[in-house]
Amino acid sequence: MYYTPLLLSFLGLTAASQPGLLFGRSTYSGVATFNNYAAQSNTVCGPKSGKPGTYGAAAGDISPNISGGKCYATINPSECSDQNPKPGYSGPGCPKSNCDLCYKVTNEGGYGGSSVGGVGKSVTVQIIDSCPAESAYNFCKTNVPAAERCGSSSTNSLDIDQSAYQALTGRTFGGGVPNLKIEITPVGCP
């Protein structure tokens, strides 16, 4: 099968860089939460934004279909101060196997039945980070359902840069806006 690697090389693809394109992975349902990556001190993959034409995103480390592997941490409630990690908390180490993968994300409506505009609108996200279930940044949020904080192994979770919210809903991201039900499809990066 010499022709397959040659063809992939010609197309600029590798099996590891876009498995969805090569192995017929289907479209998955999931939930989108939103984050300000520019304000973060670092990301697993290094950059704080996606390539031009994409929005940065983090895949939930225990998502059933889009995880790049589980991060190295344990849940320790003593690391929490109310709904947030204690000062000085450092997040877990995470694998980089998902770095630079891209997904088409389509707005399927507000999560939990909330009303939002833009149903059917899509954006392309590039994985720049991981959203670890066992990070105090997530498990301390006990007032947030697990599926909306990367804490459910039965939910495909993408934590997307908040600048994508307006492209998906027609509404500026801000306090009180709902998370989104989404359709996630592996695609090549622009």
Side-chain angles (χ1 to χ4, degrees):
M1 298 302 273
Y2 174 75
Y3 296 109
T4 301
L6 183 61
L7 176 62
L8 292 176
S9 175
F10 175 73
L11 295 174
L13 300 172
T14 65
S17 69
Q18 291 299 327
L21 294 175
L22 303 176
F23 302 116
R25 286 188 359 191
S26 61
T27 297
Y28 309 111
S29 62
V31 61
T33 57
F34 296 87
N35 190 358
N36 181 359
Y37 285 102
Q40 269 188 220
S41 59
N42 59 24
T43 66
V44 169
C45 304
K48 293 185 183 182
S49 63
K51 293 177 182 169
T54 70
Y55 295 91
D61 75 327
I62 59 172
S63 294
N65 304 109
I66 62 170
S67 172
K70 190 167 178 328
C71 297
Y72 315 105
T74 58
I75 294 177
N76 181 354
S78 71
E79 295 171 331
C80 300
S81 175
D82 192 28
Q83 297 291 305
N84 296 297
K86 287 183 176 176
Y89 173 79
S90 177
C94 298
K96 296 183 178 192
S97 56
N98 251 8
C99 291
D100 298 327
L101 293 180
C102 288
Y103 295 95
K104 176 183 171 188
V105 173
T106 303
N107 175 359
E108 296 289 308
Y111 193 76
S114 298
S115 178
V116 296
V119 172
K121 288 187 175 186
S122 299
V123 298
T124 300
V125 300
Q126 179 182 0
I127 301 302
I128 63 168
D129 205 1
S130 185
C131 188
E134 295 181 351
S135 167
Y137 289 105
N138 292 320
F139 70 75
C140 291
K141 298 176 187 173
T142 57
N143 64 345
V144 177
E148 295 184 68
R149 57 179 163 85
C150 301
S152 170
S153 62
S154 62
T155 303
N156 290 302
S157 300
L158 283 174
D159 192 33
I160 303 171
D161 191 85
Q162 65 188 22
S163 61
Y165 197 84
Q166 185 161 5
L168 286 165
T169 67
R171 182 176 176 188
T172 303
F173 182 80
V177 299
N179 291 322
L180 302 178
K181 287 188 314 183
I182 56 172
E183 182 178 271
I184 305 165
T185 306
V187 295
C189 292

